[in-house]
Amino acid sequence: SRLFSPITLGGVEIPNRTAMAPMGTRINTVDETWPRRQIRYFEERAKGGIGLIITTFCRVHAHLAGFHHIGIYDDRFIPSHRELVERIHRYDTKIFLQIALSGGKRSPEGPSSIYSPNYMKRPRALTTGELDELVESFILAAGRAREAGYDGVELHGAHSYLIGQMMSPSLNRRTDK
């Protein structure tokens, strides 16, 4: 009986306790905006009554991705995101934007320059200044998500992506701040 009752997460009331976890669909565009097909994919889940949708990986920086994802690193992406959010909100479904960077997993930079089975090749260690810039890019991406109307943001740190790499003592051997 509780499954279909509302729940509040961080001040956001979710209409029921069902959630669509983020998952890669490999439906991407070269310009990194939300493709119509992907918007319809999420919209069909909202029509079905899901309480919360968490999007697939959206990258927060123009240069450190490794392959095409949906972008949120520039204001030019906001209209595409706003369209997705508006379509989902029509069905009283909430939507969170998942933001991430792949780091050494799929790009040539990572926390430390070490060999790992998690990496395609040994990454170049990011400088402290570059990491400061990346932190700022996550903050700016969250602000753009808010401007587009998302109900929340999820930071993606699984699968040995950059946030997970930074937290892993086997992948992060840094001694700076």
Side-chain angles (χ1 to χ4, degrees):
S1 65
R2 296 186 72 184
L3 181 62
F4 297 104
S5 65
I7 188 168
T8 301
L9 300 174
V12 176
E13 185 171 304
I14 312 296
N16 61 59
R17 296 164 192 236
T18 63
M20 179 180 167
M23 63 186 90
T25 60
R26 299 195 186 267
I27 303 172
N28 295 316
T29 57
V30 175
D31 71 358
E32 299 179 84
T33 60
W34 284 110
R36 296 273 178 235
R37 187 171 159 214
Q38 181 77 14
I39 290 172
R40 290 287 299 133
Y41 172 84
F42 287 129
E43 188 175 22
E44 288 299 316
R45 275 81 195 152
K47 273 184 184 177
I50 198 84
L52 171 65
I53 293 172
I54 305 171
T55 71
T56 187
F57 182 126
C58 292
R59 70 185 187 132
V60 301
H61 195 278
H63 304 294
L64 297 175
F67 54 96
H68 289 291
H69 282 291
I70 305 304
I72 191 69
Y73 56 84
D74 189 275
D75 288 350
R76 71 183 168 93
F77 297 113
I78 293 172
S80 165
H81 286 273
R82 187 175 292 126
E83 179 183 353
L84 170 63
V85 170
E86 288 171 356
R87 302 268 297 262
I88 298 310
H89 282 167
R90 289 179 190 166
Y91 303 97
D92 195 33
T93 297
K94 302 300 181 189
I95 184 167
F96 289 4
L97 180 69
Q98 183 187 77
I99 57 176
L101 283 174
S102 58
K105 177 102 175 191
R106 299 217 187 266
S107 66
E109 298 89 7
S112 301
S113 183
I114 61 171
Y115 291 105
S116 168
N118 291 319
Y119 298 154
M120 292 191 284
K121 65 181 186 175
R122 183 179 182 160
R124 174 185 67 81
L126 291 157
T127 67
T128 303
E130 288 171 324
L131 286 168
D132 288 341
E133 179 185 334
L134 295 180
V135 168
E136 184 67 16
S137 71
F138 275 91
I139 293 166
L140 293 171
R144 288 184 187 100
R146 176 181 234 168
E147 187 175 337
Y150 285 98
D151 301 295
V153 171
E154 179 192 68
L155 297 174
H156 185 353
H159 314 307
S160 295
Y161 287 153
L162 186 61
I163 291 173
Q165 292 164 28
M166 293 302 296
M167 295 188 300
S168 170
S170 67
L171 298 175
N172 183 355
R173 307 274 171 81
R174 302 181 74 89
T175 56
D176 59 0
K177 69 177 187 173

